[in-house]
Amino acid sequence: MDKNFEPLTDKEKVAVSAQKKFDKDEGVAIVPVPDDIVLEVPPHSLGKPALFWEYRNAQGQLIFCVCRFLTADRKEDRPMTYRQFKDGSRRWYWKSVDVPRPLYGLDRLASRPDAPVIICEGEKATDAATKLFPDYVAVTSPNGAGSPQCADWTPLRDREVVIWPDQDDEGRKYASDVAQL
């Protein structure tokens, strides 16, 4: 062993790890997804998604998708975007769009500017509310109760809004956070 070799300190190891992550090419999201692109779910270690939601802009163009995986003991949602990478390639990749993220149901919201709005906790509840309350436009933020602060709530400005949370502590916190946002 070289006597001049000194092992990395813990702080240096953290810096190297962070740099490797920074250097990893995760591409840049192409928003909206071009109309001629086929929606293909890339392989995932969790298997095949059980549910799938398309996030669209006000013009109805695809922005990104969220896939739900059901494991033996839990559900896991993963966003995927169509991205361009440093080598020039383009493909679907397991990563979300940048913050602020669009609301799920934004296309329906834009098509019904005078309809009241129901904000639900999660895409599945939003789809259910769309069927149960046809006079309303149901929307939600990406990642449900996990990060409402990352969503762009400005399309709800000057709209009549009802917040319809899940009936648990997380749902009540989500409703409170959304009301403040």
Side-chain angles (χ1 to χ4, degrees), residues 10-52:
D10 287 344
K11 186 176 181 181
E12 290 170 326
K13 287 178 185 175
V14 168
V16 168
S17 176
Q19 185 62 45
K20 283 182 181 176
K21 184 175 182 181
F22 178 79
D23 289 342
K24 182 181 178 187
D25 184 10
E26 293 185 329
V28 175
I30 299 172
V31 176
V33 176
D35 291 335
D36 62 334
I37 298 304
V38 175
L39 191 82
E40 295 178 1
V41 178
H44 197 285
S45 61
L46 293 171
K48 293 189 181 212
L51 297 168
F52 185 87

Side-chain angles (χ1 to χ4, degrees), residues 70-139:
L70 301 176
T71 65
D73 57 346
R74 65 186 184 279
K75 63 183 181 189
E76 292 196 35
D77 293 344
R78 296 286 190 265
M80 66 177 205
T81 49
Y82 189 70
R83 304 179 86 77
Q84 174 147 352
F85 296 86
K86 291 177 186 173
D87 66 3
S89 66
R90 293 178 172 195
R91 66 183 179 277
W92 289 98
Y93 188 78
W94 295 109
K95 186 163 177 64
S96 191
V97 292
D98 292 335
V99 171
R101 296 184 180 114
L103 298 173
Y104 176 65
L106 192 57
D107 53 334
R108 295 184 304 269
L109 189 68
S111 72
R112 298 179 59 204
D114 297 323
V117 178
I118 296 178
I119 300 173
C120 302
E121 184 186 334
E123 297 91 354
K124 190 174 177 183
T126 300
D127 288 348
T130 296
K131 292 175 184 172
L132 290 170
F133 304 104
D135 294 338
Y136 288 76
V137 177
V139 300

Side-chain angles (χ1 to χ4, degrees), residues 151-162:
D152 178 7
W153 296 98
T154 59
L156 300 183
R157 187 171 289 136
D158 299 325
R159 300 284 296 248
E160 179 185 339
V161 174
V162 174

